Amino acid sequence: MYSIKNNGKRRVGFIIDLLDALKLHVDYDYSIYLSPWSNYGSKADNELGWDGMIAELLLGNAQMAASDLTINSPRSEVVSFSIPFMTADLGLMYQKPVANFDTLTFLDPFSTQVWLSILGCLVLTTVCMIIFGAYSSTGDALQSVSACVCFGVACMLGQGPESYPCNAASKIAAVSWWFLSLMVLMLYTACLTSTLTLENSGQRFSSIEDVLTAPEYKYAISKFDPTVYSFSHSMHTPFQKIWENVASRNDGRLFDEDGIQKVRENNDFVFIAEMSYLEYAATFAPCNLRVVQSTSSPKAGAGYGLAFPKNSPLVQNFSLAILEMLQNGQLASIHTKWFATGSQCSASKQLTDVVDTIDFEEIRGILFTFLLGIGISFTLFFFNLFKSRLNFLTRNKDATHSEDTHNNNLQDRQDHRKNNGLIERF
């Protein structure tokens, strides 16, 4: 979130855009150097009592510290801050829950009792149609078991059957089944869609305090001073319990990069830090992170501000400029540029990911069922083909036998005539 110009190389970021925008409101120029302490500034055991960028201000090496520097009470005692240009709410990060799909996931929308009830209704409708059709005087086409079953299944799947009932009793039964099939089909479609849609489900946490009621999750807090100070000096009972837990473990406090990486690698881990770090990290793929802003919880500080030496005359000028940028939308535009526009996990891209991630594992049960039906149809086809061939061979054998019998009869008659002719000569 910062930029430096060093050895001809320029790094861009939120802070540089902020400093450039401030030049439109305050007549100043600047040059940037990195703090040799390589940290923001916390209390230390040295002559100054501080290190990091705070120490650089106390030593007079800099007139302003420009960074995502949290405004808190210990720092405000030794340096002066502008009004915040960004809030510093605490938040938590964890992996988005992932549903485990198995072969029979497509059956999940309904319970076993419901499926058995639907099957029972189909059998009852089929029996009714057979009985009504058999005793019908109108020559009802739905009299065989196969025709009635096909009629019921076609209606249940929302397809038009080949034959329709003719008598009144069958029509009433058919209308009852159509009504049941329509309701079942709509409910099934809605429930299955809800099951497969994961983006709107799985909101396990709504605040930092929720980690205390989730024993299946492990958690850690940021190792940076503002977050540690918020928990170690908190009078908020849940924060005190969280601090007791993380302070008793070696892995209870982590650097932000390590904590975020651990969240990506473990689906049962929660990392608590300042919201800006978590929000920015969640803009990078893979888009499997969920960030929760805990607005009702204690904060890490008053926000991020520019730091100046104590009682510096620059404080008022820059504070007024930041206030004007807050009002005219300049700060919002800079924030959108770095946290939304360039995000690899924007809302539109997440929607595309949701549409494209219905893979084979989600629908394999339906595909296997379809292939089973195709296999049965082929089995029936070959059975009928074999049966037709067998009947053809049987008919040919009977025809050959009849022809031989006919020829033998002709031969006998000819022989009989010849014998009669010889007798007449004599």
Side-chain angles (χ1 to χ4, degrees), residues 327-343:
Q327 293 174 334
N328 63 22
Q330 280 184 283
L331 276 177
S333 298
I334 298 174
H335 186 276
T336 300
K337 173 183 176 180
W338 290 102
F339 287 86
T341 304
S343 172

Side-chain angles (χ1 to χ4, degrees), residues 39-195:
N39 64 343
Y40 293 95
S42 58
K43 289 186 176 182
D45 295 331
N46 54 32
E47 295 181 1
L48 293 174
W50 287 86
D51 58 16
M53 288 184 286
I54 301 297
E56 291 297 296
L57 292 174
L58 296 178
L59 291 171
N61 297 333
Q63 294 177 290
M64 178 174 66
S67 180
D68 45 335
L69 190 62
T70 305
I71 304 172
N72 57 23
S73 56
R75 290 172 177 172
S76 298
E77 292 176 358
V78 294
V79 298
S80 295
F81 283 96
S82 67
I83 65 171
F85 57 81
M86 186 183 295
T87 60
D89 289 332
L90 290 173
L92 58 85
M93 172 184 284
Y94 65 103
Q95 273 195 29
K96 295 177 182 177
V98 178
N100 296 319
F101 295 100
D102 55 28
T103 304
L104 300 178
T105 297
F106 72 100
L107 295 177
D108 288 346
F110 292 155
S111 65
T112 304
Q113 292 81 0
V114 173
W115 285 116
L116 292 177
S117 299
I118 296 172
L119 180 60
C121 292
L122 175 61
V123 173
L124 179 61
T125 303
T126 302
V127 172
C128 291
M129 300 292 284
I130 294 173
I131 295 175
F132 296 156
Y135 288 92
S136 173
S137 60
T138 58
D140 202 323
L142 298 176
Q143 296 182 4
S144 65
V145 175
S146 59
C148 293
V149 171
C150 289
F151 174 85
V153 173
C155 294
M156 184 173 63
L157 298 179
Q159 304 299 316
E162 295 181 357
S163 303
Y164 292 89
C166 297
N167 64 84
S170 297
K171 289 180 179 180
I172 294 175
V175 170
S176 301
W177 176 247
W178 283 336
F179 173 76
L180 177 63
S181 300
L182 179 63
M183 294 297 104
V184 168
L185 187 60
M186 290 193 300
L187 288 174
Y188 179 82
T189 303
C191 292
L192 186 62
T193 302
S194 177
T195 301

Side-chain angles (χ1 to χ4, degrees), residues 298-318:
K299 303 181 183 300
Y304 298 142
L306 302 176
F308 302 87
K310 195 67 175 177
N311 300 321
S312 171
L314 297 174
V315 176
Q316 183 177 4
N317 294 335
F318 278 89

